[in-house]
Amino acid sequence: GAVVSQHPSRVICKSGTSVKIECRSLDFQATTMFWYRQFPKQSLMLMATSNEGSKATYEQGVEKDKFLINHASLTLSTLTVTSAHPEDSSFYICSAIRPTSTDTQYFGPGTRLTVL
Amino acid sequence: KQEVTQIPAALSVPEGENLVLNCSFTDSAIYNLQWFRQDPGKGLTSLLLIQSSQREQTSGRLNASLDKSSGRSTLYIAASQPGDSATYLCAVASGSEKLVFGKGTKLTVNP
């Protein structure tokens, strides 16, 4: 099956620093990737849709200047949390749509971000 | 705005028991509905996907049903095993490929 990876799996950083999370589709090209955030015991909330070669589309309430998304290639999307604060601590998960299987999103293993 | 609710929030059963997880959604104009499994601190594994035109899907011991008109779906797990312990998430797609997730049901199967 399709595989999506994320790096790093876990990151701890100091408040005020920026953190970059990578999402890669390993065996297919993905024109569309999604970034989700999951707080403890909460649902996954869609943050933004990442489109290869164009600007990301952000959901209402998500600050685009704080969560920078770059989808520079068909296999890589990055999420940069800028000037991270403790309230940004969360589990970030990406997903990718395989062009030949548009109904199914393949999810990455997630990245646990802890901001001290 | 689509909202997805899952009941119960948590469920604990003895091994071997059959069980049903429930999912309801407010907007019946959906494209498809998916059930996922999430292990602690891990990503999501897709279990079953039901298109809006379908009534049910089966995979091994899992059976998912969809009643679009009433905004409900159920996930039936037969002969539960300790390895089934995880959080089960229901997600609805409303045509734009965006998924709206419920909060999940945390299942514990006791040996």
Side-chain angles (χ1 to χ4, degrees):
Chain A
V3 178
V4 175
S5 70
Q6 281 186 240
H7 177 80
S9 59
R10 187 181 297 267
V11 57
I12 301 173
C13 69
K14 294 182 178 180
S15 184
T17 60
S18 294
V19 175
K20 179 184 285 188
I21 303 171
E22 294 184 347
C23 177
R24 292 181 184 273
S25 55
L26 298 184
D27 57 353
F28 65 98
Q29 294 182 329
T31 56
T32 302
M33 292 184 174
F34 298 93
W35 286 96
Y36 296 85
R37 179 168 53 185
Q38 185 180 34
F39 291 108
K41 298 185 179 180
Q42 296 297 314
S43 175
L44 273 77
M45 297 297 295
L46 179 65
M47 298 176 65
T49 303
S50 173
N51 302 297
E52 188 271 335
S54 63
K55 292 183 178 180
T57 303
Y58 290 81
E59 295 300 301
Q60 189 174 9
V62 178
E63 300 176 57
K64 60 181 67 177
D65 293 331
K66 181 168 183 61
F67 299 99
L68 301 179
I69 292 173
N70 184 12
H71 195 154
S73 77
L74 287 172
T75 59
L76 174 65
S77 175
T78 60
L79 168 68
T80 301
V81 183
T82 62
S83 187
H85 288 94
E87 57 265 31
D88 298 324
S89 299
S90 187
F91 194 56
Y92 292 87
I93 304 178
C94 72
S95 69
I97 294 179
R98 191 172 193 167
T100 57
S101 180
T102 55
D103 293 341
T104 302
Q105 291 187 26
Y106 295 92
F107 284 80
T111 297
R112 172 73 61 190
L113 171 63
T114 302
V115 184
L116 303 177
Chain B
K1 179 184 177 184
Q2 181 73 270
E3 293 183 2
V4 179
T5 303
Q6 290 187 246
I7 296 174
L11 181 63
S12 181
V13 300
E15 182 177 2
E17 192 162 298
N18 302 325
L19 57 100
V20 175
L21 307 181
N22 297 291
C23 172
S24 62
F25 45 95
T26 55
D27 187 349
S28 61
I30 65 169
Y31 184 63
N32 62 52
L33 182 145
Q34 294 187 59
W35 283 93
F36 294 88
R37 168 183 173 140
Q38 185 177 29
D39 292 287
K42 304 294 184 182
L44 276 64
T45 301
S46 179
L47 299 174
L48 289 164
L49 183 152
I50 310 177
Q51 300 289 357
S52 62
S53 59
Q54 297 175 323
R55 298 284 294 184
E56 66 176 346
Q57 282 287 334
T58 298
S59 176
R61 294 183 293 109
L62 305 179
N63 175 276
S65 68
L66 173 64
D67 184 343
K68 200 172 66 167
S69 61
S70 67
R72 296 176 188 274
S73 175
T74 61
L75 178 66
Y76 175 83
I77 302 178
S80 58
Q81 303 171 357
D84 295 331
S85 298
T87 295
Y88 290 81
L89 297 168
C90 169
V92 170
S94 299
S96 64
E97 299 174 329
K98 296 180 181 179
L99 293 177
V100 178
F101 283 84
K103 290 185 178 181
T105 293
K106 184 176 181 180
L107 173 65
T108 302
V109 181
N110 301 301

